[in-house]
Structure formats: structure tokens, C-alpha cells
Amino acid sequence: MKPSLHIDSPGVFTTIQDLGRPGYQHLGIPPSGALDPVAFLMANLLAGNAEAAPALEISCFGPEISLEADFARMGAAGGDAIIEVSRCASTQIDHIPVGESFYLRRGDQLKIRAVRGSAVLYLAVCGGIVAPPILGSAATYCRGRLGGHQGRALVAGDCLPINLHAEDKKSGLRISGKKLVDQGVPIRTVLGGQSGSFLSSALDNFFGQEYTVIRNDRMGLRLSGQAIKHQHSHDIISDAIPNGSIQVTGDGQPIVLLADRQTTGGYPKIATVISADLPAIGRLSVGSTLSFQLVSQKTALEARRAHVAEFAKLHEFLVPLRRGTTLNSGALMAENLISGVCNGQLAENMQCAL
Amino acid sequence: MPKPRICFVSDTSLLVEFENLIDPAVNEQVTGLATAVRSGFNIGITDIVPTFRSLLIEFEPLVVDGDDIIDFVNKFFGAGVTEYQTKMLWRIPVCYDPSVACDLARVAHTFRGDATTVANIHSSIIYRVFMLGFLPGQPYLGKVCPELSLPRLASPRPFVDAGSVGIANGMTTIFPVGTPSGWHIIGRCPSKFFDLLSDRFLRSGDHVQFVPISLSKYYASMDELLAAPSVYQSDIPRAA
């Protein structure tokens, strides 16, 4: 039997994601990919992957998964959850916090229950999940039935092939000094394509209030707050929707559009979340509150520069699992655990996905 | 043509807006600019999304300066547009039979016609692909004859089948996959018209002619790949 992860129970909504497939929006295909690319990459680093290999994006309530392989090094990062691992060889049950690497052996079963603090939690396996790339990416886009496992969210009984890797003797890792949950800070934006469709009082209202997320999925976040008035009609001739675009529907409520958004739409767009804050907005789920801050294009660019630089050095937030010892990034590099992260080609791929 | 409006809409995207009209000549400017940007930059451009009257250019600001893209767009219009993309004409078979088109009878009734009248009117025009959007490979085709210009359904249907041909708001479309939809469904195309593997799909600026087929032909040609398109001779005068 091929080495694989067997899905005993899929959880609420679990899909295979990677850093997405930018470059095809002119065909109506959104980029998809991880809603929180930072947590996604962290999960991969914990699992010992040098590359951003296809991993599971878990929302809300997690899956139950059995290992059908001799051995697998795993990593989970993102929302808070306890990973319960029932060991096949004993009656032992281990409780592993998110943000640490761990090991599974044949027949071990992991269970993830409620995911808190973020809309998404990533579960990566060393070597990555094997999914045929569609337009260069394994990301699942459910609405278009593309990518991932048969173009859909996982269901019980699915068997996801994984790349075989030898049992390694490398030390486990944990995340230190990097929070991957909703921080409650204002989301930074620049003005959108139709910000002129709103009176300045409406813009003041938009930037001055606190919103609550009332629905979230991979397409976007539906927000609720005091209604924003359009100056004229709330219908425009449909145009393209950039990632993080905030459109205001007929009832005056905003929708923030995310990775699986429709590529075109006919509501005026008041603002766009700056690229550096896309991971933060991807973490918000029903009940989260947020406010928007208007920043200059210059600030948005500086934030991107800092964000891309940090993304290339996420391994610096990893420390050995054993407490009390420290390991700097140089030592990690020497151990050749995550060396590929600094590979230029990969860094370029990552930039596209951010 | 008035000068387009160009503005940044995020740190990684730039919007170029033309006249606020759904019009082939305006749309031609959009697809022309899209082609030029695609060939004008080797690196740094992530996505180029042409729509009815605007072009969204997504780019990596750490690789290409957004102001350089603005300069490129301005020069493109300063120079006058001379070369557009090659446009293709697609002939797409459609079965106009009530058994595969749930709104056909009702739409025919709105102007006291029958299924054949709807088929004749709908297939009498060569449509322009104004944009692709909503779903992968879904074309917005226009404009339809006034008789077939109906508003969207008041509440969308939970599901229409792949291949369904719909009309709404002066446009017509074909759905590449099954989906919820507020369009009036008047026909069904048996062929696969969005196939990434064969690299065969419509592009913005292409043209489409619907070819009515019988119900038996519909069932006989299910899931066949759409016939290759021919080159379309544009009827839009080229700018000097």
C-alpha cells in the first residue's frame, strides 16, 4: 500500500492548500492557496519541509486522520487546538499543542477538535501530500472543482498519498515568538477602485467603526456594522477583484474577498487590505471584531517589504522542542533541516503567493 | 477615446479604467492593453485581468515599480493602438429543448414565441467575449437582442448543470461547471468548452456563434471537446 493519510473523519471543512496559483484570473480562476500563508509555511517548517509542500487547511473543527505509512513527521501551525494522538502500538494518548512538530507511526490516529483564535489551522507532513498540480498548484478551489483532492473538501474515506521519507533523527521543533492567531489590531487598507462611489462621510464611517465577522469561508468575510451609504447606485459594471478587496453590497455592509473569491464582481469596492495584512485577515472567523485603517501606498509598500523579508526567514522563529536549550538559525541551517527555505527560486514563488 | 483613469488599488495592483460603458470598442481597448502589458513585461506581473471596461494589473512591487507600469500604460495610449491580439471565432453547439433548458418555455412565453423563436434569435448574433469571470472559463457574451434582455431571476436557482446556456441583463453565458445561478437557462451545450488540459478555452476579445442542434445530436455529442476555433475577422475599426 502506498504511504498515505487516511481521512477517518473530515472535520467541518478541510482542504489541501499550498501557496496558490496566481496568474490565471483572466480565465476566471482565482489564486486560491492558504488563507494564512505564514501559518501554512510554519506548519511545513515544523514538519521538516524545506519547501512549501501541499498541506491540509483545517477550519473550525478538525479531522481524524490515521497514518498508513511506517513513519511521518508532522507539523501543525495556526489556530489553537490540541492534537490528540492515539498510539497504535500502545494504549497511550498524547496531547500535542499546535506549534510543535510531532511523529506518527503506522496506525496512529490523530484527532483535532475545535480550532480557536484563527479561522485556519495547517497540518503538514514531511515530504508533503501528493496532489497533481493544476496550473502549477495543488490548492483546492472547490467552487471551480479544481486542484487538491478531486477538486473538493475532504470526506471520510479519502486516502491522501504522501511522499515517503525516512525516519529522521533530527530534533523536534516548536514555534517561538510568532503568534499565528487573531491579534485584534486594525487591518491596514488603501482606497479601492470605487472609493469615489462613497461620500467622505461614508468613508469616515467605514474607517471609524468596529465590524463583526458574521460569515467566513475561503471566498471571503461577510461583515456587519453600521450601514455605509453609496453615493449613487450599488451596481457597477463588473470588474476584477484584487485579493483583499472590500466591496460594499446593496445593504451597505462590507465583504472582504479572499483567496477563493470570484474573479469579477459588480459591487463598488471601497478599500483593499494591504498585502502584508492578508494573513491577518485570513485568520478572522465568525464573531471576530475588526476595524480598518487607511494607510498610504508608501506605507503599504514598506509593510510588504518587511513582510516578504520576514516570510523568507520564518525558520528563525523555530527552536528545538526541548526547553532550556537554544538553537540559532545558523545551527538549523547546518543541520540542513530547512536550508531550502532560503533558496532564491522558492523565495520568488512565495512572493507571488503573498 | 478619452484617456483612461489609472490608479493603485493596493500595494500589488493597479486599475486602468476606460469609459463606463459595456461596448465592444471600449472592451477592445481593455483587451488590447492586456495583450500589450503581457508582452511588455517579462517579470514582476502576477495577473492581468481584463473585464468589460477596466484592466486590473497585479504585480510584485519588489520586482517591478508600479510607476513603471503606469508609464507603460500611458505610452501605450500615447503611441496609438495598432496591434491587438488575434481573435478566434468559436462555434458552440447548443440544444434549445425544454427538457435540457428549464427556463426556455417561460422565456419564449414572455414575447409570445416558442423554443424555435428563442433559438433563432439567440443564435442569430455573433457575440463578443467581454470577459471571463465568476467561474473558471465562464464567458460574459454580448450583447443579446432586446427580446432576450431580461433581468436576473429574483432569487437564484440552487443549481444549474454544466453546459447550461443562460441569459440575463443583456448578456448571455455558458456555465462551465454546475453552479447556483440567477440566469434564465434557455439551452444546453453538450461539449466541453473549458478544458485546461487541451489548452482549449475562450479568451476575452474572442467571438462566439451558437449553433442550434437537436436533442438527439445533443445526447450523441455529450462531453466531446469543442471544435477548434477559426480566426475571427474583427469588424471594429482599428485605431490609427
Side-chain angles (χ1 to χ4, degrees), chain A residues 226-268:
Chain A
Q226 201 187 329
I228 304 283
K229 280 200 184 71
H230 298 83
Q231 205 173 345
H232 308 291
S233 158
H234 56 78
D235 266 334
I236 60 162
I237 295 175
S238 285
D239 72 354
I241 304 177
N243 200 3
S245 185
I246 305 166
Q247 61 180 23
V248 179
T249 57
D251 60 4
Q253 300 296 341
I255 295 177
V256 188
L257 291 143
L258 303 176
D260 279 8
R261 65 193 177 277
Q262 64 277 30
T263 54
T264 58
Y267 291 114

Side-chain angles (χ1 to χ4, degrees), chain A residues 23 25 27 145 272 275 297 304, chain B residues 9-11 47 58 60 137 178:
Chain A
Q25 291 183 71
L27 299 179
R145 281 168 229 165
T272 316
S275 62
Q297 185 71 14
R304 178 169 184 83
Chain B
V9 291
S10 83
D11 49 308
D47 252 304
E58 298 208 314
E60 172 45 69

